Amino acid sequence: MTAATATMSTASNPAEHWHALLRPALDRFPNFPADFFARLRAAKLTFGDRVHCPFLRPFFLSLEDEQRVRAVAETIADLGERVVSAALADADLFAQLHLRPEEERLARLSVGYGRASTSSRLDAFLLPDSLKCAEYNGEAPAGAGYSETLAGFFRELPVMEKFSRQYEIHSYPLSAKLLDALIASYIDWGGTSKRPQMAIVDWREVPTWSEFEILKSRFEKMGVPVVLADPRDLEFNGKTLTAHGKTIDLLYRRVLINDIVARPQECAALVKAYEANALCVANTFRCKIPHVKAFFAVLTDEQNAGLFSHDERELIRQHIPWTRVVADVNTSHYGEPIELLTFIRKQRENLVLKPSDEYGGTGVTLGWETPENAWDARIEKAVSAAGAGGDAGCWIVQERIPIRREVFPYITQQGSVEFKDMLVDFAPYLFRGKLSGFLTRLSATGLANVTSGGGQVPAFRVTPRA
């Protein structure tokens, strides 16, 4: 087969075409993987000490993929906002979310503006006919700055120039769209400054601090001054909140509500300023309502069907896995009555158990990878949490969903490149409920997140050139 013939045979598949272009480049430039890592570190594309992207290919999606994802993701984000409003008005519905007492108090504080979630993310798997959703991150999810920077980095690779001769390439301006969303929430709150002073707030020791530095640089280039602050840096005098001598108009909250509740003294200034409505805080504390994983139990439980239209119920059925809060109760599975604990024990191979309010894969137990005795122990732990109530939190059980796998070139610790079959976790970002781009994570295991050792690649929409 000639080189020209090989190119023609792979051009109809963007991943194969990329690989066909990459292999000879690696042969010509054996130091390329080491140089690639060095450039990632220089660009702050790190999570703690690890680089985000040990992979040498982006994820490619089609225009049809993007349109399908948009319809599903934006609907689910809107349902999240609807559940927030309904739960605040209905104590029985609110109880289904199993928020802790202090989380409920914070969620019920009146803010009087905008959406609960200015920024959110739907963690999912993109399949040929559906977007199978694992959970909804309604609380200022990380990664947008990294994703956009990675996309720019890949656009500069020599192989991309050759690839673009066959495909039109579209990337996603996440930082601009995020800033637009934050400013829109600030205006909803009643803000009038044309250059509001923003603070990005989280613990200075978090491994994602480098992303805040990326966002600060991007936002300031777009005209909005930004200060990076730890909650312990904040001071509230009863009227204004300050950080490092700057009066804050708009606080982009990346510190989690879990930490705010667990460390009340260190977060007192932030909470008091929020209670006084002294500044715009995005996301609001109400975002906790759709953020907990029990949100999917609310969506899939027939008792809540009246909250949703026929078309919305059909979308939920197609794209959201059956989910229930683990407890010794009778419930239903697609209309069939079941005793929940018996069902969970019998259906281990088809179920996942996880805490309703953890992140980074903490506590996630895949039934098909778990021995029966360990599965039973996890069920007992979940039931004990449900019985304890209050601050103990709850667990959910969720139906196993199909996943997507693709081959990606992977840089090993020795600096060589291997082509590995990877799980592809595809997570649409939603800024004020509108699809704005994607976080794409890869893993060789059943869990795909950076905190559990996964890696990240940029996503590009590609269209074959005529």
Side-chain angles (χ1 to χ4, degrees), residues 238-254:
K239 293 183 178 179
T240 59
L241 186 74
T242 59
H244 304 301
K246 305 284 188 180
T247 298
I248 307 306
D249 303 305
L250 168 60
L251 191 146
Y252 176 29
R253 183 180 60 78
R254 293 289 293 268

Side-chain angles (χ1 to χ4, degrees), residues 201-205 229-235 263 266-267:
V201 176
D202 204 348
W203 310 108
R204 64 176 64 91
E205 61 269 20
D230 184 291
R232 294 163 289 196
D233 299 328
L234 304 178
E235 297 180 1
R263 302 166 70 171
E266 293 165 298
C267 297

Side-chain angles (χ1 to χ4, degrees), residues 282-294:
N283 289 353
T284 73
F285 293 152
R286 292 180 175 184
C287 75
K288 190 70 173 186
I289 294 172
H291 174 75
V292 292
K293 297 173 182 63

Side-chain angles (χ1 to χ4, degrees), residues 52-73:
H52 272 265
C53 183
F55 302 97
L56 289 175
R57 174 170 75 78
F59 177 77
F60 301 120
L61 69 152
S62 68
L63 177 60
E64 292 76 17
D65 287 332
E66 184 187 90
Q67 291 171 337
R68 181 158 42 87
V69 170
R70 185 185 309 278
V72 175

Side-chain angles (χ1 to χ4, degrees), residues 103-121:
E103 293 168 348
E104 177 171 356
R105 186 188 77 82
L106 293 175
R108 291 189 179 281
L109 291 174
S110 177
V111 289
Y113 65 92
R115 299 174 68 96
S117 295
T118 295
S119 66
S120 60
R121 192 183 70 216

